[in-house]
Amino acid sequence: MALIDELQELRTTGLESIAASDDLAGLEAVRVALLGKKGSLTGVLRGLGALAADERPAAGKVSNEVRQALEEALADREAVFSASALERRLTAEAVDVTLPGRRRAPGRQHLIEKVTREISDIFIGLGYRIAEGPEVELDYYNFTALNTPPDHPARNASDTFYVEDLSGDAATVAGESDVLLRTQTSPVQVRVMENSTPPIYILAPGKVYRRDVADPSHLPQFTQIEGLVVDEGITFGDLKGTLEHFAHEMFGPDRAVRLRPHFFPFTEPSAEVDVSCHLCNGAGCRMCKGSGWLEVLGCGMVDPNVFGYVGIDPERYSGFAFGMGAERIAALKYGVPDLRHFIESDMRFLRQF
Ligand code: DAH
């Protein structure tokens, strides 16, 4: 009987193409071709209606057997493919638990942070405490109460970043408002003296801002460390002894300290402080430009006018102050020729320290 022969033939070729398929996608294509709505089996079974009524049961039985045989073969083949797909995935994603872990690079302190803490520790060791003030500061604290005259060049908008007062409350004269980015950490002195009574021994590290273009010896934002002592009987000798101690701790026990007269509005007398060059031991080298000395900070005795602004009695108390740049100290100590290295985030540079 032709139809039954066709069914048997379909079983044979169907099983062959199932066996020949070599992945899940190929197998699915074979399944659709054999058993889908437009597939071969459906096509053959269309002939069922044309058979005589007594022939139909036998043909129907064979067609069921063929369908079942094909479905089983499809299922078996699929199981093979899924198993090997799983196998492959397991191999590919295998974790070797015996491999050593990957070490994460730990964060580290930036050299400027390290030097700032080193300097702070030296003064904490002498009994100073750390004080802080705002980076966005009032003209009053940054200049006026530090005895800086109204026409002092540092107040120029070309040297100082003034902050625009959007509320329009503060008087703004020729682009110079009452609010600015502090140009020095000295205003912290004023804030501390306003709010405390002597004895005062403080160190104030922090960021300061100046309208400078970055070059080997200038940065528009850098770090200053301010010191202030106010007590009874404080003399210039105390200042010098303190700075010598600092120089020995920071640059080595053999360092000599030299004070040169200078001017700062808020100290009188004022001095600039040099430390003998630790690289050439004072003989003269590239670092100290042949002089044997490195300029490290500014200092002086607190001007009585400043005491006047904060209500401290200059007849009873005296004091000294000093200020230094952390970037400069770091550059001198570690022989860094260009301050811009400190802000460029080049890990090859930063990792050295
Ligand atoms: N504020 C000064 C500057 O930025 C540094 C300084 C000098 C601070 C003398 C002081 C001081 O406290 O007494 O150049």
Side-chain angles (χ1 to χ4, degrees), residues 161-183:
F161 288 109
Y162 284 90
V163 176
E164 196 180 348
D165 177 30
L166 295 174
S167 75
D169 288 346
T172 304
V173 186
E176 294 171 20
S177 76
D178 287 341
V179 186
L180 45 77
L181 299 186
R182 68 180 178 191
T183 61

mmCIF file of all heavy atoms in Angstrom, residues 161-183:
data_model
loop_
_atom_site.group_PDB
_atom_site.id
_atom_site.type_symbol
_atom_site.label_atom_id
_atom_site.label_comp_id
_atom_site.label_asym_id
_atom_site.label_seq_id
_atom_site.Cartn_x
_atom_site.Cartn_y
_atom_site.Cartn_z
ATOM 1 N N PHE A 161 41.737 84.816 43.923
ATOM 2 C CA PHE A 161 40.452 84.403 43.349
ATOM 3 C C PHE A 161 39.328 84.961 44.222
ATOM 4 O O PHE A 161 39.166 84.536 45.367
ATOM 5 C CB PHE A 161 40.321 82.873 43.338
ATOM 6 C CG PHE A 161 41.200 82.183 42.329
ATOM 7 C CD1 PHE A 161 42.303 81.441 42.748
ATOM 8 C CD2 PHE A 161 40.916 82.236 40.975
ATOM 9 C CE1 PHE A 161 43.107 80.773 41.834
ATOM 10 C CE2 PHE A 161 41.713 81.574 40.048
ATOM 11 C CZ PHE A 161 42.811 80.844 40.476
ATOM 12 N N TYR A 162 38.585 85.907 43.686
ATOM 13 C CA TYR A 162 37.424 86.413 44.413
ATOM 14 C C TYR A 162 36.201 85.603 44.025
ATOM 15 O O TYR A 162 36.076 85.142 42.897
ATOM 16 C CB TYR A 162 37.221 87.906 44.132
ATOM 17 C CG TYR A 162 38.240 88.729 44.895
ATOM 18 C CD1 TYR A 162 39.472 89.036 44.334
ATOM 19 C CD2 TYR A 162 37.983 89.134 46.207
ATOM 20 C CE1 TYR A 162 40.428 89.743 45.047
ATOM 21 C CE2 TYR A 162 38.927 89.847 46.924
ATOM 22 C CZ TYR A 162 40.151 90.145 46.349
ATOM 23 O OH TYR A 162 41.080 90.834 47.070
ATOM 24 N N VAL A 163 35.315 85.426 44.988
ATOM 25 C CA VAL A 163 34.130 84.609 44.756
ATOM 26 C C VAL A 163 32.956 85.558 44.537
ATOM 27 O O VAL A 163 32.715 86.454 45.343
ATOM 28 C CB VAL A 163 33.855 83.696 45.971
ATOM 29 C CG1 VAL A 163 32.570 82.902 45.777
ATOM 30 C CG2 VAL A 163 35.039 82.762 46.197
ATOM 31 N N GLU A 164 32.252 85.323 43.443
ATOM 32 C CA GLU A 164 31.129 86.195 43.128
ATOM 33 C C GLU A 164 30.021 85.974 44.141
ATOM 34 O O GLU A 164 29.654 84.836 44.453
ATOM 35 C CB GLU A 164 30.610 85.875 41.725
ATOM 36 C CG GLU A 164 29.720 86.953 41.173
ATOM 37 C CD GLU A 164 29.224 86.594 39.775
ATOM 38 O OE1 GLU A 164 29.765 85.634 39.188
ATOM 39 O OE2 GLU A 164 28.309 87.262 39.302
ATOM 40 N N ASP A 165 29.499 87.058 44.674
ATOM 41 C CA ASP A 165 28.411 86.933 45.633
ATOM 42 C C ASP A 165 27.090 87.026 44.886
ATOM 43 O O ASP A 165 26.637 88.103 44.529
ATOM 44 C CB ASP A 165 28.515 88.042 46.681
ATOM 45 C CG ASP A 165 27.346 87.977 47.648
ATOM 46 O OD1 ASP A 165 26.846 86.858 47.861
ATOM 47 O OD2 ASP A 165 26.956 89.024 48.168
ATOM 48 N N LEU A 166 26.457 85.870 44.631
ATOM 49 C CA LEU A 166 25.263 85.845 43.787
ATOM 50 C C LEU A 166 24.052 86.456 44.485
ATOM 51 O O LEU A 166 23.097 86.868 43.847
ATOM 52 C CB LEU A 166 24.967 84.410 43.342
ATOM 53 C CG LEU A 166 26.062 83.814 42.435
ATOM 54 C CD1 LEU A 166 25.780 82.357 42.142
ATOM 55 C CD2 LEU A 166 26.173 84.595 41.127
ATOM 56 N N SER A 167 24.099 86.531 45.816
ATOM 57 C CA SER A 167 22.963 87.119 46.516
ATOM 58 C C SER A 167 22.964 88.641 46.367
ATOM 59 O O SER A 167 21.952 89.291 46.591
ATOM 60 C CB SER A 167 23.021 86.756 48.001
ATOM 61 O OG SER A 167 24.026 87.533 48.637
ATOM 62 N N GLY A 168 24.129 89.191 45.985
ATOM 63 C CA GLY A 168 24.218 90.636 45.829
ATOM 64 C C GLY A 168 24.290 91.386 47.146
ATOM 65 O O GLY A 168 24.215 92.604 47.178
ATOM 66 N N ASP A 169 24.442 90.638 48.252
ATOM 67 C CA ASP A 169 24.457 91.286 49.563
ATOM 68 C C ASP A 169 25.773 92.006 49.836
ATOM 69 O O ASP A 169 25.795 93.131 50.316
ATOM 70 C CB ASP A 169 24.243 90.256 50.681
ATOM 71 C CG ASP A 169 22.795 89.781 50.689
ATOM 72 O OD1 ASP A 169 21.976 90.453 50.030
ATOM 73 O OD2 ASP A 169 22.518 88.765 51.332
ATOM 74 N N ALA A 170 26.885 91.316 49.526
ATOM 75 C CA ALA A 170 28.184 91.886 49.878
ATOM 76 C C ALA A 170 28.569 92.984 48.900
ATOM 77 O O ALA A 170 28.257 92.924 47.718
ATOM 78 C CB ALA A 170 29.243 90.787 49.867
ATOM 79 N N ALA A 171 29.239 93.995 49.427
ATOM 80 C CA ALA A 171 29.692 95.090 48.573
ATOM 81 C C ALA A 171 30.779 94.558 47.642
ATOM 82 O O ALA A 171 31.702 93.873 48.078
ATOM 83 C CB ALA A 171 30.247 96.208 49.442
ATOM 84 N N THR A 172 30.652 94.822 46.367
ATOM 85 C CA THR A 172 31.651 94.377 45.422
ATOM 86 C C THR A 172 32.282 95.595 44.783
ATOM 87 O O THR A 172 31.624 96.368 44.116
ATOM 88 C CB THR A 172 31.012 93.492 44.340
ATOM 89 O OG1 THR A 172 30.356 92.414 44.987
ATOM 90 C CG2 THR A 172 32.064 92.939 43.400
ATOM 91 N N VAL A 173 33.596 95.760 45.055
ATOM 92 C CA VAL A 173 34.289 96.934 44.533
ATOM 93 C C VAL A 173 35.271 96.486 43.467
ATOM 94 O O VAL A 173 36.180 95.712 43.747
ATOM 95 C CB VAL A 173 35.060 97.660 45.671
ATOM 96 C CG1 VAL A 173 35.645 98.952 45.137
ATOM 97 C CG2 VAL A 173 34.148 97.901 46.849
ATOM 98 N N ALA A 174 35.070 96.961 42.270
ATOM 99 C CA ALA A 174 35.988 96.687 41.148
ATOM 100 C C ALA A 174 36.360 95.210 41.075
ATOM 101 O O ALA A 174 37.524 94.863 41.008
ATOM 102 C CB ALA A 174 37.234 97.560 41.279
ATOM 103 N N GLY A 175 35.372 94.337 41.133
ATOM 104 C CA GLY A 175 35.620 92.908 40.978
ATOM 105 C C GLY A 175 36.147 92.243 42.234
ATOM 106 O O GLY A 175 36.413 91.058 42.248
ATOM 107 N N GLU A 176 36.374 93.002 43.308
ATOM 108 C CA GLU A 176 36.879 92.394 44.538
ATOM 109 C C GLU A 176 35.751 92.342 45.558
ATOM 110 O O GLU A 176 35.381 93.347 46.162
ATOM 111 C CB GLU A 176 38.057 93.206 45.070
ATOM 112 C CG GLU A 176 39.242 93.139 44.119
ATOM 113 C CD GLU A 176 40.356 94.095 44.494
ATOM 114 O OE1 GLU A 176 40.405 94.525 45.655
ATOM 115 O OE2 GLU A 176 41.170 94.406 43.620
ATOM 116 N N SER A 177 35.186 91.166 45.730
ATOM 117 C CA SER A 177 34.089 91.044 46.685
ATOM 118 C C SER A 177 34.683 90.788 48.067
ATOM 119 O O SER A 177 35.897 90.746 48.242
ATOM 120 C CB SER A 177 33.167 89.904 46.277
ATOM 121 O OG SER A 177 33.771 88.674 46.586
ATOM 122 N N ASP A 178 33.839 90.616 49.055
ATOM 123 C CA ASP A 178 34.319 90.325 50.409
ATOM 124 C C ASP A 178 34.646 88.856 50.604
ATOM 125 O O ASP A 178 35.110 88.458 51.651
ATOM 126 C CB ASP A 178 33.234 90.713 51.427
ATOM 127 C CG ASP A 178 33.125 92.223 51.547
ATOM 128 O OD1 ASP A 178 34.091 92.898 51.157
ATOM 129 O OD2 ASP A 178 32.083 92.700 52.009
ATOM 130 N N VAL A 179 34.329 88.057 49.573
ATOM 131 C CA VAL A 179 34.514 86.612 49.692
ATOM 132 C C VAL A 179 35.577 86.170 48.688
ATOM 133 O O VAL A 179 35.574 86.600 47.545
ATOM 134 C CB VAL A 179 33.193 85.872 49.420
ATOM 135 C CG1 VAL A 179 33.335 84.387 49.691
ATOM 136 C CG2 VAL A 179 32.065 86.469 50.258
ATOM 137 N N LEU A 180 36.472 85.312 49.151
ATOM 138 C CA LEU A 180 37.576 84.897 48.281
ATOM 139 C C LEU A 180 38.007 83.476 48.630
ATOM 140 O O LEU A 180 37.571 82.914 49.640
ATOM 141 C CB LEU A 180 38.748 85.868 48.445
ATOM 142 C CG LEU A 180 39.145 86.291 49.871
ATOM 143 C CD1 LEU A 180 39.934 85.218 50.592
ATOM 144 C CD2 LEU A 180 39.948 87.575 49.841
ATOM 145 N N LEU A 181 38.837 82.905 47.764
ATOM 146 C CA LEU A 181 39.483 81.641 48.117
ATOM 147 C C LEU A 181 40.747 82.023 48.878
ATOM 148 O O LEU A 181 41.544 82.813 48.365
ATOM 149 C CB LEU A 181 39.840 80.843 46.865
ATOM 150 C CG LEU A 181 38.670 80.443 45.969
ATOM 151 C CD1 LEU A 181 39.162 79.537 44.834
ATOM 152 C CD2 LEU A 181 37.592 79.718 46.774
ATOM 153 N N ARG A 182 40.895 81.520 50.080
ATOM 154 C CA ARG A 182 42.026 81.983 50.901
ATOM 155 C C ARG A 182 43.345 81.794 50.161
ATOM 156 O O ARG A 182 43.557 80.777 49.497
ATOM 157 C CB ARG A 182 42.039 81.275 52.256
ATOM 158 C CG ARG A 182 42.347 79.788 52.177
ATOM 159 C CD ARG A 182 42.345 79.164 53.559
ATOM 160 N NE ARG A 182 42.604 77.720 53.466
ATOM 161 C CZ ARG A 182 42.459 76.864 54.460
ATOM 162 N NH1 ARG A 182 42.045 77.277 55.645
ATOM 163 N NH2 ARG A 182 42.726 75.579 54.291
ATOM 164 N N THR A 183 44.208 82.787 50.278
ATOM 165 C CA THR A 183 45.499 82.760 49.591
ATOM 166 C C THR A 183 46.586 82.217 50.507
ATOM 167 O O THR A 183 47.725 82.048 50.092
ATOM 168 C CB THR A 183 45.902 84.167 49.145
ATOM 169 O OG1 THR A 183 46.025 84.983 50.321
ATOM 170 C CG2 THR A 183 44.847 84.759 48.240
#
